[in-house]
Amino acid sequence: MMQSEPVISECAYKDGIDSGDMVHAFNKAITAFDLGEGFIVFVGPALDAPLLEFGNITSTDAQVIVHAMKPDQAT
């Protein structure tokens, strides 16, 4: 049985996004892009409303957030 809340990988914290913001964005995602090989990029709001981009993979028992950042950090 899959967990309802995502697991957050240590590497997802690299850009300084808080776990509460990641989980909120995960639960309220507004769009998704399947990049193949099990990696999906989602966009959803942080707790204080700015949009976040986060990358997700699916393990056998959980959704795992492996990347999180504000879209304007992308370079």
Side-chain angles (χ1 to χ4, degrees):
M1 183 172 161
M2 191 164 303
Q3 291 178 236
S4 60
E5 291 295 313
V7 173
I8 302 172
S9 170
E10 285 299 314
C11 61
Y13 293 101
K14 181 182 81 163
D15 291 309
I17 305 299
D18 180 72
S19 63
D21 286 331
M22 287 188 230
V23 171
H24 189 265
F26 176 87
N27 290 327
K28 305 293 184 186
I30 58 174
T31 193
F33 305 93
D34 186 344
L35 301 182
E37 298 187 26
F39 188 73
I40 301 173
V41 172
F42 291 90
V43 176
L47 288 167
D48 58 349
L51 292 177
L52 299 178
E53 167 190 306
F54 60 98
N56 181 77
I57 59 172
T58 302
S59 74
T60 57
D61 59 348
Q63 298 290 324
V64 181
I65 296 174
V66 295
H67 162 81
M69 66 187 290
K70 295 177 182 173
D72 62 355
Q73 289 178 311
T75 55

